[in-house]
Amino acid sequence: MNPTPVVLCGDAVRIVPLDLSHTEDLLAAGADPEIWRYLPIPQPNSLAEVKAWIDDALKHAATGEQIPFALIDTSTDRAIGSTRFLDIHREWRTLEIGWTWMAASVQRTGVNTEAKYLLLRHAFHDLGAIRMKFKVDARNLKSQRAVERIGAVKEGVLRKQRINHDGFIRDAVYYSILNDEWPSVEQRLQAMLAR
């Protein structure tokens, strides 16, 4: 398993490698402070701050430890959010989907479901992953329900998993989908997207 930058195309969303050309769109997409409530960095409020965030993501990408993506709305061709493959263990064939955020205007639409479907399908079908992990701030009940809704299994809580940028010491709820669970999760996601 060797994840690399890739383009994944769906009906509502296209997932592309993150780069500096997405700076303006992502500043606009991330305008709602609620988006950043549980993320590890404070809300970027200027082009310079978004550029610094993208530069940092690209530094992690250069080492192969993370693969950052922009989420592109196929109807407007504008970036509406971002996500990443991270905690990549090539030798174990495991990785995580995380750092996911999107504009308030596309939340609770099929965009997040389709993005997760595209990333999971790529990981299990193309990369040969055996385990996909998600971790969610224990306070973020909305994201926990979203991860559960797609069929991920709750594994437990890591207490005091991280100190956030604001000093809050968070607990993280861990979820996973295994390769032998993927066929039923894939059918579930396909049914959700067909609605």
Side-chain angles (χ1 to χ4, degrees):
M1 185 192 82
N2 187 32
T4 57
V6 66
V7 174
L8 304 171
C9 297
D11 293 331
V13 68
R14 188 170 64 254
I15 300 173
V16 302
L18 180 68
D19 65 45
L20 290 172
S21 71
H22 302 119
T23 303
E24 274 190 51
D25 286 353
L26 291 177
L27 177 61
D32 182 352
E34 187 62 23
I35 291 169
W36 303 92
R37 183 171 178 196
Y38 304 112
L39 287 170
I41 63 168
Q43 178 182 8
N45 289 307
S46 68
L47 288 173
E49 289 175 354
V50 175
K51 181 185 179 303
W53 170 74
I54 293 172
D55 283 339
D56 184 64
L58 296 177
K59 285 178 191 168
H60 289 291
T63 68
E65 66 184 277
Q66 296 183 7
I67 311 291
F69 299 101
L71 303 173
I72 307 296
D73 182 328
T74 59
S75 67
T76 64
D77 209 34
R78 296 181 64 93
I80 52 169
S82 184
T83 192
R84 298 183 194 184
F85 283 147
L86 63 151
D87 198 18
I88 299 167
H89 294 276
R90 289 165 174 81
E91 66 283 7
W92 302 341
R93 295 175 31 213
T94 67
L95 64 164
E96 176 181 344
I97 295 173
W99 270 96
T100 303
W101 65 271
M102 56 195 61
S105 62
V106 297
Q107 292 176 14
R108 298 189 179 271
T109 69
V111 169
N112 189 33
T113 303
E114 187 173 59
K116 292 292 190 294
Y117 171 72
L118 293 170
L119 290 166
L120 288 164
R121 185 181 68 188
H122 176 64
F124 287 119
H125 286 282
D126 302 330
L127 299 177
I130 62 171
R131 180 176 189 271
M132 291 295 299
K133 175 177 71 174
F134 304 84
K135 64 180 180 284
V136 181
D137 189 303
R139 301 167 296 165
N140 191 346
L141 300 179
K142 183 172 142 184
S143 288
Q144 288 179 56
R145 298 300 81 81
V147 172
E148 291 166 2
R149 190 172 69 87
I150 66 171
V153 174
K154 184 177 180 178
E155 296 182 324
V157 177
L158 259 63
R159 299 175 300 157
K160 296 188 177 184
Q161 178 262 336
R162 180 178 78 210
I163 300 175
N164 284 352
H165 65 88
D166 61 0
F168 182 83
I169 302 172
R170 83 167 198 173
D171 295 340
V173 183
Y174 276 67
Y175 293 88
S176 69
I177 299 171
L178 305 181
N179 60 331
D180 50 349
E181 298 164 343
W182 169 242
S184 64
V185 171
E186 181 177 29
Q187 287 180 348
R188 177 186 193 135
L189 287 168
Q190 288 170 341
M192 290 166 68
L193 292 169
R195 292 184 194 142

